[in-house]
Amino acid sequence: MKKILEQIRGNKWLQLGLLVGYIALTSLSLILAQRSVAAFLLLLLSFLLLYYTKLPNWSKWAIGLTIMFFILPFSAMQGPAYQEYMDVATLVGIYVSMALGLNIVVGMAGLLDLGFVAFFAVGAYTYGIFATAQASNFMPFGTYPLSGNSFWIFIIIGCFVAALFGVLLGIPVLRVKGDYLAIVTLGFGEIIRIVFNNMDQPVNITNGALGLSSIAPPKIFGIELLYSNQIYFVVLFILLFVIFAVRSLEHSKLGRSWKAVRENEIAAQAMGIPLVKTKLMAFAIGASFSGMMGVVFAAKQAFIDPTSFTMLQSINILVMVLLGGMGSVPGVILGAAVVTILNAQVLNELTMWFNSLSTAGIITLPDAMSPVKMQRFFFGALLILFALYRSKGLIPAKNVVYDKRKFLSEKGTKKRLQSVGAPKEDEHGNTGS
Amino acid sequence: MRKQVMALAMTSTLALGFLGACGNTDSASGGGSSETVKIALQAPMSGGSATLGEAIKNGAAMAVEEEKAAFEKAGFSLELVEYDDQGDPQKGVSNAQIIGSDQDVYGVVAHLNSGVFIPSSEVYERYNIPSVSPASTATDVTDRGLKSVNRIVARDDFQGPAGAEYAVQEIGAKKIFVINDKTAYGQGLATAFAEAAAEEGAEIVGEAGITVGEKDFNGVLNQVSAADPDLVYFGGLYSEGGLLIKQARDNGIDAAFMGGDGMDSSTLVEIAGDTVSNVYLTSVAGDSSATEFAKNYEDEYGAKPESFSIYGYDSAKVLMEGILDAAEENGGKLPAKDKVAAAVRAVDDYEGEMTQVSFDDKGDNEFAKIFIYKFDEASYPAKIQGEISQ
Amino acid sequence: MMTQVWDTLPQVLIDGLTLGAIYAIIALGYTMVYGILELINFAHGEIFMAGAFIGTAVLIGLTGLGWVAVMPAIFVLLLVLVITGGLTGMLGMGIERLAYRPLRKASKLITLITAIGVSFLLQDIVRFITETQQNNYIVNTPSLFPGSLSISGLNIRYSFLVVIVVAILMMIALEFFVNRTKWGLAMRAVAQDQDTASLMSVNVNKVISVTFFVGSALGGATGVLFAIHYGTIDPYIGFILGLKAFTAAVLGGIGNIRGAMAGGMLLGLLEMFAAANLSAITAGVLSSEYKDVFAFAILILVLIFRPEGLFGRAAIEKV
């Protein structure tokens, strides 16, 4: 067994062969057994396997894109559960982008943000207000609702508005550090939600608790994108853009500054990194990804109201980041996918399974314990277990060490190097008591 | 090495975990020679309004059990699939996607909360699946002109005004304080009430909102006692309503209270206890305790039905009536879903256990009524005071 | 407009003090733990909630045994407080031992995340247990002190007096414990400097455990007071209330016990005042639902302009 594994590990052609076989097998089983959620999930799993192969990067991307654009939609298309699968895939795309945004703030810059969903809400409302008749309540010019054609511009507008809010949040909280920051952002998220819930008077801007319904669906070349399989491709394009942006940011000067600030703020400042600008950029860029997806979310749901943007959602996204591995782009993608699928599909399926078992009289599960209701329990347990036993997540972030060889050749610096990798904590606090 | 092991382990757990789950759905669709017709049900079975959600579910489940034979005769095997919307619009919509993509689903008994039904119905409409709501009262539910959306209960802009009329004319309230819980349901109802009450000639001495899930409403109640109204109207659900009543009485506010159908639950009485006297309810749900249904329900579930149980039951029955009608028209074969939707909309003078049903061109029930109840003591259900027809 | 504010003021003060007293005692739990570990124990709000549930269960149990009918209500209350305090104290200690201690050397971010995890877990466990007992998770607490005093239009519930008196007693007891006992001395020493304290033969782990026990016992006892005063509880009361209590702790200067008390009272009064008068003062532009915005805005402003709190001393950051 070990030998075979070794062999697979060494030989990338073998890996490619196995991978292609796996993809073919799972997509075939999805085509044949349309209702099998397992086949769908296993097909999605091929992305993870792809990540672990030793293939060169370009071919990984090529295979990945092929699966995303052709194999997945095609094999899901053959049966009745098509829209369901595409809906799940769309949700995964939305949450992956948001998690990547939060990853910049929490994972890379080390600023714990517990109110991240606020930016999602900002994006969603930006589109929602103008794509319904709502805007005519306070806008002196223009006719509303805007048509679905405006959706494409609003993706960009949503991005900028959310970034603006990110900076607005960022400026005051720059003075605040660590866990205080977490609390302030949590408060901020709640404030945004409460304000949206109450901005129906004196001027009706958000329509308050009633929410905005019948939001115009996106339109392109005169075609309305109504169904999940159409939105899926929109999400896919944005997602690819986000991944590309994050990837290039990660190794840019800005990305390295974030990590420096995360590891040791004072040292980073001493090395000439502008603290204010670096942190604000983290907030703004993180928020902008979330804002874009907010626009998509509003268009997809056709209805938004403040209950979609609760603190639970913020923590949900945090769970994704932590589960995948803070600071690790592939990890966060995996984490977001796992949590979203768990929420959107697996818990439902399990509940239905248990229900059918109990109607068949095999086991009786009390209603209170149905998996759908246990969401908080699972999340709580996941958070604790991962924090305790795998605090770096499923796919830990790799810290590229520059000029490794040069460092190692000098004996004296070896020790210093080792401590670079480990996360540092601030052990020198002071108490006021 | 570790990576591969991890990937392998993940694969196998995922596979093991869900092969079972899907194996089940597989057999459900493939099993039996007759064609499957599924009725989907969505209601909150967890969260603050779980009591009402479960009540609807139980009612619908009874209806489906009873109709099984009739469907068997027509050559279909009938099945009820349940979904928990948790009272959350997002959950409701994603469940709706699942329901929509299931080709065997020919109808939905859906949603307690209007806030969930409104977005979810956009999805049902795309798939032409007829939906009948046993409890959603917001005007927007049917006012959007969707072809597949129906409800058998009255609308908020009927319930609110009916309550206002009763409050002003029968109770004789001149100064009214209106509170809502800042949800789609509560706000819609409270606004409709306040407008109608003002038209009837009462003075609205104050309006305020509370937050769902809070336990201390003394701040708002201080506003109430400062305004000194004859009647306090609360648009919201029983959990907050009960506390509000209790704390108001503790604070020495003895004005009459009035609320909508969201307060119509035995839990209201449990929370408010003796302070529940002098509380009026307008409800879209009538008193079902004397019906045959109530007896069967108690036999089946060992508890008295909640107010909406029978509406869940009637909704499911109307829906199945429509499906059978459409099938008959189609020569005994399963029709296309838009035909079913049209047939459900066309249901005329259906005699339900609780209410007669004829849908108008928007999907509202022409025979929907508003019932006025009053609590004199801590017992549920309250005493019926009268009913108002449209 | 001003007359309305003036007329309701006495009642607002009373309601605000009740809420403030509850905030204050919960804030004590936050402040004690933060003083020693510099950890925001997010799960503290949930310990409060668990206390409310345990207290209710004990009360219902005692009623079932017939003890409530024969004993004076105040003895019943004391009994319930002691039992609940003991149990929630153990719960707090257990949480510290299992979820926080292994992470004492890890980054603060991670510990904060575990704390959130613990709080979710507790919420769901309580919900689960309650739901298997009855159909929904809203629980009604039998009222121990029904009725109210009416003094010239002012309504004072007996349970209000009980809450205030018990709360003040608990605060005095805590002050005494921290300032006059050996354990209190050890706690203060550990808060100053863990390493030096351990050199002075203070058992740091034990002291931390005791801190968690005392803080959680107080939190749980507050839960009982809450349940008795408001009469209805659900598993989700802890999170927001805990957050507000944390705001109170920050307002008073975190790590500072007297500051937490003052902060709690102040926040309770401010919030109640906002809820009762916000719409009157702003002529309907801001409705009373903005009271939470108000509370969080205070938190943010304090953190930005006076992070050491209203009564705290500024800490110097060592590098």
Side-chain angles (χ1 to χ4, degrees), chain C residues 1-20:
Chain C
M1 182 200 90
M2 281 323 284
T3 51
Q4 189 198 326
V5 173
W6 189 247
D7 286 346
T8 53
L9 197 59
Q11 190 73 46
V12 168
L13 283 179
I14 287 178
D15 295 331
L17 279 179
T18 323
L19 195 61

PDB file of all heavy atoms in Angstrom, chain C residues 1-20:
ATOM      1  N   MET C   1     -42.758  67.605  24.779  1.00  0.00           N
ATOM      2  CA  MET C   1     -41.733  66.597  24.550  1.00  0.00           C
ATOM      3  C   MET C   1     -40.889  66.408  25.799  1.00  0.00           C
ATOM      4  O   MET C   1     -40.730  65.317  26.315  1.00  0.00           O
ATOM      5  CB  MET C   1     -40.865  67.014  23.372  1.00  0.00           C
ATOM      6  CG  MET C   1     -39.801  65.996  23.041  1.00  0.00           C
ATOM      7  SD  MET C   1     -38.490  66.764  22.068  1.00  0.00           S
ATOM      8  CE  MET C   1     -37.406  67.320  23.337  1.00  0.00           C
ATOM      9  N   MET C   2     -40.373  67.515  26.326  1.00  0.00           N
ATOM     10  CA  MET C   2     -39.534  67.389  27.517  1.00  0.00           C
ATOM     11  C   MET C   2     -40.354  66.916  28.707  1.00  0.00           C
ATOM     12  O   MET C   2     -39.862  66.197  29.565  1.00  0.00           O
ATOM     13  CB  MET C   2     -38.865  68.740  27.852  1.00  0.00           C
ATOM     14  CG  MET C   2     -37.643  69.074  27.012  1.00  0.00           C
ATOM     15  SD  MET C   2     -36.601  67.655  26.623  1.00  0.00           S
ATOM     16  CE  MET C   2     -35.780  67.416  28.194  1.00  0.00           C
ATOM     17  N   THR C   3     -41.636  67.317  28.715  1.00  0.00           N
ATOM     18  CA  THR C   3     -42.447  66.879  29.846  1.00  0.00           C
ATOM     19  C   THR C   3     -42.614  65.373  29.839  1.00  0.00           C
ATOM     20  O   THR C   3     -42.610  64.742  30.886  1.00  0.00           O
ATOM     21  CB  THR C   3     -43.853  67.528  29.789  1.00  0.00           C
ATOM     22  OG1 THR C   3     -44.383  67.302  28.493  1.00  0.00           O
ATOM     23  CG2 THR C   3     -43.803  69.001  30.091  1.00  0.00           C
ATOM     24  N   GLN C   4     -42.716  64.822  28.619  1.00  0.00           N
ATOM     25  CA  GLN C   4     -42.858  63.370  28.561  1.00  0.00           C
ATOM     26  C   GLN C   4     -41.604  62.694  29.102  1.00  0.00           C
ATOM     27  O   GLN C   4     -41.661  61.746  29.869  1.00  0.00           O
ATOM     28  CB  GLN C   4     -43.113  62.923  27.125  1.00  0.00           C
ATOM     29  CG  GLN C   4     -43.475  61.454  27.055  1.00  0.00           C
ATOM     30  CD  GLN C   4     -43.317  60.885  25.659  1.00  0.00           C
ATOM     31  OE1 GLN C   4     -43.544  61.576  24.680  1.00  0.00           O
ATOM     32  NE2 GLN C   4     -42.928  59.635  25.586  1.00  0.00           N
ATOM     33  N   VAL C   5     -40.455  63.211  28.696  1.00  0.00           N
ATOM     34  CA  VAL C   5     -39.191  62.666  29.177  1.00  0.00           C
ATOM     35  C   VAL C   5     -39.154  62.760  30.694  1.00  0.00           C
ATOM     36  O   VAL C   5     -38.792  61.812  31.387  1.00  0.00           O
ATOM     37  CB  VAL C   5     -38.013  63.440  28.558  1.00  0.00           C
ATOM     38  CG1 VAL C   5     -36.715  62.987  29.176  1.00  0.00           C
ATOM     39  CG2 VAL C   5     -37.993  63.266  27.058  1.00  0.00           C
ATOM     40  N   TRP C   6     -39.575  63.908  31.195  1.00  0.00           N
ATOM     41  CA  TRP C   6     -39.520  64.141  32.633  1.00  0.00           C
ATOM     42  C   TRP C   6     -40.483  63.211  33.381  1.00  0.00           C
ATOM     43  O   TRP C   6     -40.146  62.631  34.402  1.00  0.00           O
ATOM     44  CB  TRP C   6     -39.870  65.607  32.909  1.00  0.00           C
ATOM     45  CG  TRP C   6     -39.631  65.991  34.327  1.00  0.00           C
ATOM     46  CD1 TRP C   6     -40.562  66.321  35.253  1.00  0.00           C
ATOM     47  CD2 TRP C   6     -38.358  66.044  34.987  1.00  0.00           C
ATOM     48  NE1 TRP C   6     -39.958  66.591  36.453  1.00  0.00           N
ATOM     49  CE2 TRP C   6     -38.609  66.424  36.324  1.00  0.00           C
ATOM     50  CE3 TRP C   6     -37.043  65.815  34.576  1.00  0.00           C
ATOM     51  CZ2 TRP C   6     -37.572  66.564  37.260  1.00  0.00           C
ATOM     52  CZ3 TRP C   6     -36.031  65.960  35.505  1.00  0.00           C
ATOM     53  CH2 TRP C   6     -36.295  66.340  36.836  1.00  0.00           C
ATOM     54  N   ASP C   7     -41.702  63.052  32.820  1.00  0.00           N
ATOM     55  CA  ASP C   7     -42.706  62.234  33.494  1.00  0.00           C
ATOM     56  C   ASP C   7     -42.303  60.781  33.599  1.00  0.00           C
ATOM     57  O   ASP C   7     -42.576  60.125  34.589  1.00  0.00           O
ATOM     58  CB  ASP C   7     -44.041  62.328  32.731  1.00  0.00           C
ATOM     59  CG  ASP C   7     -44.709  63.667  32.969  1.00  0.00           C
ATOM     60  OD1 ASP C   7     -44.274  64.358  33.916  1.00  0.00           O
ATOM     61  OD2 ASP C   7     -45.628  64.015  32.211  1.00  0.00           O
ATOM     62  N   THR C   8     -41.688  60.266  32.527  1.00  0.00           N
ATOM     63  CA  THR C   8     -41.356  58.842  32.555  1.00  0.00           C
ATOM     64  C   THR C   8     -40.035  58.583  33.253  1.00  0.00           C
ATOM     65  O   THR C   8     -39.659  57.435  33.455  1.00  0.00           O
ATOM     66  CB  THR C   8     -41.283  58.276  31.132  1.00  0.00           C
ATOM     67  OG1 THR C   8     -40.394  59.082  30.378  1.00  0.00           O
ATOM     68  CG2 THR C   8     -42.630  58.222  30.474  1.00  0.00           C
ATOM     69  N   LEU C   9     -39.318  59.634  33.586  1.00  0.00           N
ATOM     70  CA  LEU C   9     -37.963  59.455  34.092  1.00  0.00           C
ATOM     71  C   LEU C   9     -37.867  58.502  35.300  1.00  0.00           C
ATOM     72  O   LEU C   9     -37.026  57.605  35.280  1.00  0.00           O
ATOM     73  CB  LEU C   9     -37.336  60.815  34.412  1.00  0.00           C
ATOM     74  CG  LEU C   9     -35.816  60.783  34.558  1.00  0.00           C
ATOM     75  CD1 LEU C   9     -35.172  60.284  33.283  1.00  0.00           C
ATOM     76  CD2 LEU C   9     -35.281  62.168  34.899  1.00  0.00           C
ATOM     77  N   PRO C  10     -38.714  58.650  36.317  1.00  0.00           N
ATOM     78  CA  PRO C  10     -38.560  57.744  37.460  1.00  0.00           C
ATOM     79  C   PRO C  10     -38.684  56.275  37.055  1.00  0.00           C
ATOM     80  O   PRO C  10     -37.865  55.444  37.456  1.00  0.00           O
ATOM     81  CB  PRO C  10     -39.717  58.148  38.385  1.00  0.00           C
ATOM     82  CG  PRO C  10     -40.101  59.503  37.973  1.00  0.00           C
ATOM     83  CD  PRO C  10     -39.762  59.639  36.520  1.00  0.00           C
ATOM     84  N   GLN C  11     -39.684  55.986  36.227  1.00  0.00           N
ATOM     85  CA  GLN C  11     -39.862  54.590  35.801  1.00  0.00           C
ATOM     86  C   GLN C  11     -38.680  54.132  34.962  1.00  0.00           C
ATOM     87  O   GLN C  11     -38.205  53.009  35.100  1.00  0.00           O
ATOM     88  CB  GLN C  11     -41.170  54.466  35.003  1.00  0.00           C
ATOM     89  CG  GLN C  11     -41.591  53.044  34.714  1.00  0.00           C
ATOM     90  CD  GLN C  11     -42.126  52.347  35.950  1.00  0.00           C
ATOM     91  OE1 GLN C  11     -42.922  52.896  36.697  1.00  0.00           O
ATOM     92  NE2 GLN C  11     -41.649  51.140  36.193  1.00  0.00           N
ATOM     93  N   VAL C  12     -38.206  55.023  34.101  1.00  0.00           N
ATOM     94  CA  VAL C  12     -37.045  54.681  33.277  1.00  0.00           C
ATOM     95  C   VAL C  12     -35.853  54.382  34.166  1.00  0.00           C
ATOM     96  O   VAL C  12     -35.102  53.433  33.932  1.00  0.00           O
ATOM     97  CB  VAL C  12     -36.719  55.842  32.307  1.00  0.00           C
ATOM     98  CG1 VAL C  12     -35.371  55.627  31.658  1.00  0.00           C
ATOM     99  CG2 VAL C  12     -37.789  55.949  31.238  1.00  0.00           C
ATOM    100  N   LEU C  13     -35.694  55.165  35.232  1.00  0.00           N
ATOM    101  CA  LEU C  13     -34.573  54.931  36.144  1.00  0.00           C
ATOM    102  C   LEU C  13     -34.673  53.548  36.773  1.00  0.00           C
ATOM    103  O   LEU C  13     -33.686  52.807  36.838  1.00  0.00           O
ATOM    104  CB  LEU C  13     -34.561  55.992  37.244  1.00  0.00           C
ATOM    105  CG  LEU C  13     -34.025  57.365  36.835  1.00  0.00           C
ATOM    106  CD1 LEU C  13     -34.098  58.330  37.997  1.00  0.00           C
ATOM    107  CD2 LEU C  13     -32.589  57.228  36.357  1.00  0.00           C
ATOM    108  N   ILE C  14     -35.874  53.202  37.196  1.00  0.00           N
ATOM    109  CA  ILE C  14     -36.039  51.899  37.844  1.00  0.00           C
ATOM    110  C   ILE C  14     -35.735  50.763  36.876  1.00  0.00           C
ATOM    111  O   ILE C  14     -34.949  49.858  37.174  1.00  0.00           O
ATOM    112  CB  ILE C  14     -37.466  51.766  38.397  1.00  0.00           C
ATOM    113  CG1 ILE C  14     -37.594  52.658  39.621  1.00  0.00           C
ATOM    114  CG2 ILE C  14     -37.778  50.336  38.751  1.00  0.00           C
ATOM    115  CD1 ILE C  14     -38.947  52.662  40.235  1.00  0.00           C
ATOM    116  N   ASP C  15     -36.346  50.822  35.678  1.00  0.00           N
ATOM    117  CA  ASP C  15     -36.107  49.753  34.699  1.00  0.00           C
ATOM    118  C   ASP C  15     -34.646  49.725  34.280  1.00  0.00           C
ATOM    119  O   ASP C  15     -34.051  48.664  34.099  1.00  0.00           O
ATOM    120  CB  ASP C  15     -36.997  49.960  33.475  1.00  0.00           C
ATOM    121  CG  ASP C  15     -38.460  49.826  33.819  1.00  0.00           C
ATOM    122  OD1 ASP C  15     -38.769  49.077  34.761  1.00  0.00           O
ATOM    123  OD2 ASP C  15     -39.292  50.462  33.158  1.00  0.00           O
ATOM    124  N   GLY C  16     -34.069  50.920  34.131  1.00  0.00           N
ATOM    125  CA  GLY C  16     -32.674  50.997  33.728  1.00  0.00           C
ATOM    126  C   GLY C  16     -31.753  50.415  34.781  1.00  0.00           C
ATOM    127  O   GLY C  16     -30.783  49.738  34.460  1.00  0.00           O
ATOM    128  N   LEU C  17     -32.083  50.656  36.053  1.00  0.00           N
ATOM    129  CA  LEU C  17     -31.244  50.106  37.121  1.00  0.00           C
ATOM    130  C   LEU C  17     -31.300  48.586  37.121  1.00  0.00           C
ATOM    131  O   LEU C  17     -30.284  47.923  37.328  1.00  0.00           O
ATOM    132  CB  LEU C  17     -31.707  50.639  38.477  1.00  0.00           C
ATOM    133  CG  LEU C  17     -31.204  52.037  38.849  1.00  0.00           C
ATOM    134  CD1 LEU C  17     -31.762  52.445  40.197  1.00  0.00           C
ATOM    135  CD2 LEU C  17     -29.677  52.047  38.894  1.00  0.00           C
ATOM    136  N   THR C  18     -32.486  48.021  36.888  1.00  0.00           N
ATOM    137  CA  THR C  18     -32.594  46.559  36.854  1.00  0.00           C
ATOM    138  C   THR C  18     -31.693  45.991  35.768  1.00  0.00           C
ATOM    139  O   THR C  18     -30.886  45.090  36.008  1.00  0.00           O
ATOM    140  CB  THR C  18     -34.048  46.129  36.524  1.00  0.00           C
ATOM    141  OG1 THR C  18     -34.926  47.018  37.162  1.00  0.00           O
ATOM    142  CG2 THR C  18     -34.284  44.722  36.939  1.00  0.00           C
ATOM    143  N   LEU C  19     -31.876  46.554  34.573  1.00  0.00           N
ATOM    144  CA  LEU C  19     -31.076  46.069  33.452  1.00  0.00           C
ATOM    145  C   LEU C  19     -29.595  46.312  33.737  1.00  0.00           C
ATOM    146  O   LEU C  19     -28.746  45.455  33.501  1.00  0.00           O
ATOM    147  CB  LEU C  19     -31.514  46.814  32.185  1.00  0.00           C
ATOM    148  CG  LEU C  19     -31.085  46.236  30.853  1.00  0.00           C
ATOM    149  CD1 LEU C  19     -31.665  44.850  30.693  1.00  0.00           C
ATOM    150  CD2 LEU C  19     -31.564  47.124  29.717  1.00  0.00           C
ATOM    151  N   GLY C  20     -29.310  47.496  34.289  1.00  0.00           N
ATOM    152  CA  GLY C  20     -27.928  47.865  34.584  1.00  0.00           C
ATOM    153  C   GLY C  20     -27.298  46.922  35.589  1.00  0.00           C
ATOM    154  O   GLY C  20     -26.143  46.536  35.445  1.00  0.00           O
TER     155      GLY C  20
END
